[in-house]
Amino acid sequence: MGLLPTDPNERKLYLLGLQIAGDFGATIAVPIVVFVLLGRWLDEKYLASPRYTILAFILAAAVSARIIYKKAISYSKLYQSLIEKKKDKIA
């Protein structure tokens, strides 16, 4: 007894969900870590704490949101194609 469904289409949908969760998590985390570290470095260099860190965080959130929006559109198309295949198989 496995964790994944035995039906190939159900398995693809399940794996797509896991892929989306991992991809979105990395898309949020990586820019925030990189931009905040850059902001902290700028704060230390120019003695402006926490101005650059806050600015970097806001910029990272905006970048992440834009990337996630684009990825969500592509994942939506992929999901719809998998759903259509599932419907065709049932009919």
Side-chain angles (χ1 to χ4, degrees):
M1 184 166 127
L3 294 175
L4 295 176
T6 55
D7 179 36
N9 288 327
E10 289 291 326
R11 179 183 289 250
K12 287 179 183 178
L13 287 170
Y14 185 82
L15 291 174
L16 178 63
L18 292 175
Q19 180 182 357
I20 291 170
D23 194 11
F24 282 9
T27 300
I28 292 169
V30 171
I32 288 178
V33 169
V34 170
F35 278 70
V36 168
L37 288 174
L38 177 65
R40 288 185 51 117
W41 177 76
L42 288 171
D43 282 338
E44 289 176 10
K45 183 174 181 173
Y46 296 111
L47 301 174
S49 186
R51 181 181 305 152
Y52 290 112
T53 302
I54 293 171
L55 184 63
F57 179 80
I58 292 169
L59 184 60
V63 168
S64 293
R66 175 122 172 118
I67 294 170
I68 285 178
Y69 177 76
K70 288 182 177 183
K71 286 183 178 187
I73 290 171
S74 68
Y75 279 130
S76 173
K77 291 176 185 175
L78 181 58
Y79 177 77
Q80 290 301 325
S81 71
L82 289 174
I83 292 297
E84 289 300 319
K85 287 180 186 177
K86 185 177 176 182
K87 286 180 183 176
D88 290 343
K89 185 179 178 182
I90 292 173

